[in-house]
Amino acid sequence: MAPALHVSLTTDGGLSGRGLGSIEVTGRAIKTDKCNAELTDEENAELTRLAQAAKPESWSAEYGKPARPDQVHYTLTLEGHSTSWWGENAEGLPEEVRALRESLWKVRSRACTG
């Protein structure tokens, strides 16, 4: 049996200096800066698939160039490996990191509004 999924996405910086929020998924439990919820079956399947394809051991510690004023700083952590980047279009950000970020952000949005 595969270990429980554990992935998080945090942000800081931006106009307020506090980022855009955060999400942590442990197993099927979702914890965000605004709410707690459970993954749906579809979300769990997608995040598990993306996590298995992510190869976090190959990630660089940081991608892109130093931040411009008011950019958001993202940190993605999976299986004890973390990477970070500034802004939405970090240069050289691996596609699997982008896919995890997008999926986690959708889950966060659904969990806190649905």
Side-chain angles (χ1 to χ4, degrees):
M1 187 162 151
L5 180 64
H6 189 197
V7 59
S8 67
L9 179 64
T10 60
T11 65
D12 58 72
L15 289 173
S16 71
R18 292 178 279 187
L20 301 173
S22 64
I23 180 170
E24 180 177 8
V25 175
T26 304
R28 292 184 72 118
I30 301 166
K31 181 179 179 183
T32 79
D33 52 302
K34 295 185 178 207
C35 67
N36 295 319
E38 293 281 323
L39 290 175
T40 65
D41 290 342
E42 294 81 16
E43 290 167 341
N44 185 58
E46 179 177 355
L47 283 174
T48 298
R49 179 184 59 77
L50 291 172
Q52 289 172 344
K55 303 178 194 86
E57 65 282 350
S58 69
W59 295 347
S60 292
E62 189 167 72
Y63 291 94
K65 297 182 177 164
R68 295 186 309 255
D70 300 327
Q71 276 189 315
V72 174
H73 182 244
Y74 292 85
T75 302
L76 177 68
T77 303
L78 174 65
E79 298 176 13
H81 298 275
S82 293
T83 189
S84 64
W85 64 94
W86 291 94
E88 295 300 314
N89 296 311
E91 187 177 308
L93 191 64
E95 183 55 40
E96 57 272 10
V97 172
R98 288 180 195 269
L100 269 170
R101 181 199 62 178
E102 290 171 16
S103 185
L104 285 165
W105 226 235
K106 280 195 268 184
V107 167
R108 181 182 176 275
S109 178
R110 192 269 318 153
C112 292
T113 60

